[in-house]
Amino acid sequence: MKIWVVAEKKGAELRRISKEAAAKAAELGEVEVLELHGSGEQRSSSHAGASALAARAAASPPDLIVVGATPAGRDLAARLAAKLGWTYLSECAELRVEDGRAVAVRSMYAGKVRATIAGALPAVVSVRAGIMTVVDDAPPPRTEAVQVAAEAGLEFVRFEESKASGIRVPLGEARVVVSAGRGLKGPENWKIVEDLADVLGAAIGASRAVTDAGWRPNEEQVGQTGKTVTPDLYVALGISGAIQHLAGMSSSKVIVAVNKDPDADLLKIADYAVVADLFEFVPALTEELRAVMGKA
Amino acid sequence: MKLLVCVKQVPDSTVRVKVAADKRTIVTEGITWAISPYDEYAIELALEHKDADPGTTVSVVTLGPARARDALRQALAMGCDDAMLVTGAGAETLGGLATARALAKVIEEARPDLVLCGKQASDDDQGLVGQALAETLGWPHVAIVTKFTSVTGGTEIWREVEGGHEVWKAAGPAVLTVQKSEKDPRYPSLPGIMKAKKKEIPEKDVSSLIPDLASPGLEIISLEPPPVRKAGRVMKDGDVKAMAAELAKLLRDEAKVV
């Protein structure tokens, strides 16, 4: 079976999600890892990228195309599947091939249902972070460049950097996420969240209440109308746990919840539920973690 | 400017979705249906454009079973100008590519300047129809859009990416798939609701738009609720520093996540 993996880079390095996608594909068949190259400094649109890949597929079609389910990856994969008229499965948490079909486990209803779904090959699939475990120092797969031409009718104008998020790990790919909610009482109190996230090397998330109030940017929202995350460790600070939030994070491996209110729903599903004033507890936890992680 | 918004009716986000006994469908009895959240944001972006430029018209289209008419009624009450329901046998279970082909027929006839839809529907969470619609129409698309504005020679469109926004310029018609944006979708006003009640909602049969309803089909093998999480260790009423020290050790030695 022939498989293409369309990889994304962060700086000079392949993104972890792309390495995971390549490792998963290698389990299923013979892999070519492709990288899209625009012309010069110009960013290329996902349509232009899909066109370049479709032209390559017309010459020698693979059975399966795998893309990491980053926002850009999902966009590209959808347009590509439509262009080729192939089966499309997005945000697969598990993927296998059986009897000429791609079989995936993916979440539906914003995380409230886990579905096992099959579709005939050839197929385009996007895979979620964590689909495979790859070791950090494993040699990256060799990639092949695919040239992307500019798209008629759509031109890149400029990039506007957002102020808030800084240089942290992308939320969807993070192994550790520290999320905070209304219990923080105001945006000026995020320092304790950031300090904890720094010690853990974590991405920062937020509840909807907090993004709606404008305390934090929308891109940090976890849950329905935000991101679904499945990290190894999810730390929820002052989040009560509305059903829409739980749907977006309850598949995390280990959950820690800190809340003053002993009836908060999130405390009931947490592996470690701490009933305490987070303004006292969080700085103390940051200190203790720094000690046990040898970062003193 | 002529805007057209494609919406889907899905279980309301507050609904506790239950898997049916057949393990392949969900229990629909007692469900409150609503416009998919990202589609509501798409309506809001279109209506904001209309607020700023009253010459704008906003049409709304849905493809689905007869009950999807309520979603259109809601969109009209929010302030959309007209609505169309594409329905009929097979509409409820139509695949993503076929849905896009059918909607493209409606769009070719309506000839809007821009088509907006949510970046994904909150039932299947696939995120395919917007891109497939653009592909069928032969138009460019911009995904994960939080804002757009008319400029000389086209439309500037803000696309959310990690760490900021890309701004793209479409010279002609384009499909925008909309992300949660700054303003929450407006509630229908009382006069809006009254006006929406009187509006006629024309209906088209999906098989009159696309004779072949087949598209690369997905078979649901099984649905299950996400694994139930048991309550874990509760720490309370202790000295804060001692609890923090205990938790740090547990995370390292028991959970092995730090």
Side-chain angles (χ1 to χ4, degrees):
Chain A
M1 191 164 100
K2 259 177 72 182
I3 306 172
W4 292 357
V5 172
V6 186
E8 275 186 75
K9 273 193 167 164
K10 190 159 195 183
E13 288 245 349
L14 277 195
R15 290 178 70 142
R16 173 187 283 273
I17 193 169
S18 299
K19 291 186 198 166
E20 290 178 358
K24 175 44 81 177
E27 268 192 358
L28 304 173
E30 184 196 327
V31 186
E32 267 185 280
V33 182
L34 308 176
E35 215 187 295
L36 299 176
H37 281 217
S39 49
E41 290 300 290
Q42 192 71 314
R43 291 181 187 229
S44 41
S45 72
S46 52
H47 181 200
S51 298
L53 290 165
R56 199 177 190 273
S60 164
D63 303 291
L64 181 66
I65 300 178
V66 183
V67 180
T70 61
R74 287 187 64 182
D75 181 17
L76 172 80
R79 184 87 194 215
L80 181 58
K83 196 172 276 289
L84 295 168
W86 290 6
T87 298
Y88 178 58
L89 286 162
S90 80
E91 287 217 63
C92 305
E94 292 170 29
L95 177 67
R96 55 183 194 269
V97 171
E98 267 172 27
D99 308 327
R101 298 200 300 175
V103 182
V105 175
R106 56 185 303 277
S107 78
M108 288 172 64
Y109 299 95
K112 293 171 191 166
V113 173
R114 257 169 80 89
T116 305
I117 297 185
L121 296 175
V124 179
V125 302
S126 63
V127 295
R128 192 172 266 187
I131 188 151
M132 284 285 281
T133 310
V134 290
V135 283
D136 280 325
D137 50 4
R142 243 169 40 96
T143 63
E144 196 173 320
V146 174
Q147 283 303 324
V148 179
E151 178 183 6
L154 187 67
E155 111 191 71
F156 175 70
V157 184
R158 64 182 177 275
F159 178 68
E160 294 179 356
E161 203 175 331
S162 82
K163 283 165 271 166
S165 61
I167 45 164
R168 289 179 191 280
V169 215
L171 193 50
E173 286 169 60
R175 319 302 294 272
V176 182
V177 173
V178 175
S179 268
R182 226 198 300 254
L184 265 286
K185 296 204 165 88
E188 66 281 7
N189 296 328
W190 245 256
K191 179 82 169 62
I192 58 170
V193 181
E194 283 162 4
D195 287 347
L196 179 58
D198 282 342
V199 168
L200 290 168
I204 290 189
S207 70
R208 177 168 185 170
V210 154
T211 57
D212 279 1
W215 295 359
R216 299 298 296 179
N218 281 336
E219 60 185 289
E220 290 185 1
Q221 187 184 319
V222 172
Q224 194 154 10
T225 69
K227 298 197 169 63
T228 302
V229 297
T230 51
D232 294 338
L233 173 62
Y234 188 87
V235 183
L237 308 173
I239 300 177
S240 57
I243 179 171
Q244 296 94 328
H245 189 83
L246 298 182
M249 48 62 73
S250 63
S251 297
S252 305
K253 230 174 263 167
V254 174
I255 297 173
V256 171
V258 182
N259 210 304
K260 210 157 67 174
D261 172 10
D263 296 323
D265 282 334
L266 236 164
L267 291 176
K268 293 172 197 153
I269 65 152
D271 301 284
Y272 302 100
V274 181
V275 182
D277 181 333
L278 61 90
F279 291 103
E280 291 172 28
F281 183 79
V282 174
L285 179 62
T286 304
E287 279 315 304
E288 295 297 338
L289 281 170
R290 200 172 273 140
V292 303
M293 295 171 77
K295 291 187 181 173
Chain B
M1 194 175 219
K2 208 169 149 148
L3 303 174
L4 186 144
V5 187
C6 300
V7 303
K8 186 175 187 182
Q9 191 191 44
V10 300
D12 185 81
S13 64
T14 56
V15 165
R16 283 185 193 275
V17 177
K18 284 198 204 84
V19 176
D22 68 0
K23 294 273 168 75
R24 285 169 182 237
T25 54
I26 61 160
V27 177
T28 50
E29 211 168 71
I31 277 187
T32 311
W33 298 92
I35 300 173
S36 181
Y38 294 112
D39 298 345
E40 275 196 306
Y41 280 103
I43 292 172
E44 178 59 34
L45 273 197
L47 291 176
E48 277 166 31
H49 201 85
K50 185 179 159 84
D51 293 341
D53 170 15
T56 297
T57 60
V58 181
S59 305
V60 58
V61 180
T62 193
L63 187 155
R67 62 169 154 75
R69 187 176 284 275
D70 297 339
L72 296 175
R73 203 63 81 189
Q74 170 87 359
L76 290 171
M78 288 168 79
C80 295
D81 295 284
D82 56 78
M84 178 184 287
L85 172 65
V86 179
T87 188
E92 189 167 359
T93 52
L94 203 59
L97 294 185
T99 298
R101 290 208 312 272
L103 291 172
K105 291 283 179 201
V106 174
I107 290 160
E108 277 163 3
E109 202 170 307
R111 302 171 64 88
D113 299 299
L114 290 177
V115 170
L116 288 79
C117 51
K119 68 165 183 153
Q120 69 195 65
S122 70
D123 51 0
D124 64 16
D125 284 316
Q126 275 269 78
L128 171 62
V129 171
Q131 282 86 347
L133 191 51
E135 182 61 33
T136 311
L137 292 162
W139 291 6
H141 82 267
V142 181
I144 335 170
V145 171
T146 57
K147 186 169 125 182
F148 71 95
T149 176
S150 300
V151 293
T152 317
T155 312
E156 280 197 346
I157 303 155
W158 276 253
R159 174 183 197 237
E160 185 182 287
V161 293
E162 283 154 13
H165 285 85
E166 294 172 352
V167 184
W168 293 82
K169 184 177 174 185
V175 175
L176 279 47
T177 80
V178 174
Q179 165 72 313
K180 182 184 176 188
S181 51
E182 242 150 63
K183 272 203 197 147
D184 271 340
R186 63 195 64 191
Y187 290 106
S189 65
L190 197 55
I193 294 169
M194 300 311 289
K195 238 165 91 184
K197 272 190 184 158
K198 290 193 204 117
K199 280 201 176 141
E200 215 172 289
I201 299 178
E203 203 175 292
K204 270 201 165 78
D205 194 280
V206 62
S207 59
S208 73
L209 295 172
I210 48 164
D212 178 11
L213 299 186
S215 73
L218 296 178
E219 187 203 344
I220 293 184
I221 296 175
S222 68
L223 298 182
E224 52 188 319
V228 181
R229 296 193 79 103
K230 285 178 284 183
R233 193 189 292 256
V234 179
M235 305 163 81
K236 60 177 178 185
D237 304 328
D239 170 61
V240 166
K241 206 170 152 32
M243 284 200 295
E246 190 190 349
L247 179 58
K249 284 206 185 71
L250 286 168
L251 290 177
R252 184 187 62 184
D253 302 333
E254 185 181 87
K256 297 189 168 54
V257 286
V258 301

